[in-house]
Amino acid sequence: MKAIRAHEWCGPRDLVIDEIDQPQPGDRQVLVRVNVAGLNFPDLLIITGKYQFKPALPFSPGFEIAGTIEKVGAGVTKFSGGEHVVAQVAVRVFSDYGSATEASIHSTPREIDQR
């Protein structure tokens, strides 16, 4: 899958598109096919190394996603494949797929455009 990643603390123009392995959902996690991801001021802070949380490099920024559930992990009871959802995550969602905990995911009506 494709992911926008920071290989060093940098500005937005220095991010690169990498081909990486698709994540798999762990226990109580959901794998989401990302349709859209939010871009906010904290994303700019985190890629420059100025945010209070500094993920290990390389990493994919992004804290918010909307998309469709691709797969659910063991113990997930509220969601199933094909549902449209939004989620808040720690980081790592400027990519084709992102995983999130079941507790951080919320259903959205199909009528909401996720493009």
Side-chain angles (χ1 to χ4, degrees), residues 4-18:
I4 297 172
R5 300 200 311 165
H7 288 262
E8 60 188 3
W9 306 120
C10 63
R13 292 177 190 262
D14 300 313
L15 295 171
V16 294
I17 299 175
D18 287 334

Side-chain angles (χ1 to χ4, degrees), residues 59-113:
F59 72 94
S60 181
F63 293 96
E64 306 162 339
I65 56 173
T68 307
I69 294 177
E70 184 81 12
K71 192 184 297 185
V72 297
V76 172
T77 58
K78 295 181 186 177
F79 300 99
S80 59
E83 289 186 64
H84 288 233
V85 294
V86 295
Q88 291 183 306
V89 297
V91 285
R92 300 179 180 92
V93 291
F94 284 0
S95 56
D96 291 332
Y97 293 89
S99 59
T101 64
E102 181 178 28
S104 70
I105 296 176
H106 303 281
S107 294
T108 60
R110 287 195 179 271
E111 295 81 29
I112 292 179
D113 189 358

Side-chain angles (χ1 to χ4, degrees), residues 2-82:
K2 289 185 177 21
I4 297 172
R5 300 200 311 165
H7 288 262
E8 60 188 3
W9 306 120
C10 63
R13 292 177 190 262
D14 300 313
L15 295 171
V16 294
I17 299 175
D18 287 334
E19 189 70 36
I20 62 171
D21 292 336
Q22 179 179 312
Q24 294 301 312
D27 290 345
R28 314 242 350 129
Q29 288 186 329
V30 173
L31 180 66
V32 177
R33 170 78 166 118
V34 177
N35 293 334
V36 294
L39 175 63
N40 299 290
F41 186 62
D43 295 302
L44 297 175
L45 291 176
I46 202 166
I47 65 172
T48 58
K50 296 176 183 171
Y51 196 67
Q52 58 262 35
F53 167 70
K54 291 183 176 64
L57 295 165
F59 72 94
S60 181
F63 293 96
E64 306 162 339
I65 56 173
T68 307
I69 294 177
E70 184 81 12
K71 192 184 297 185
V72 297
V76 172
T77 58
K78 295 181 186 177
F79 300 99
S80 59

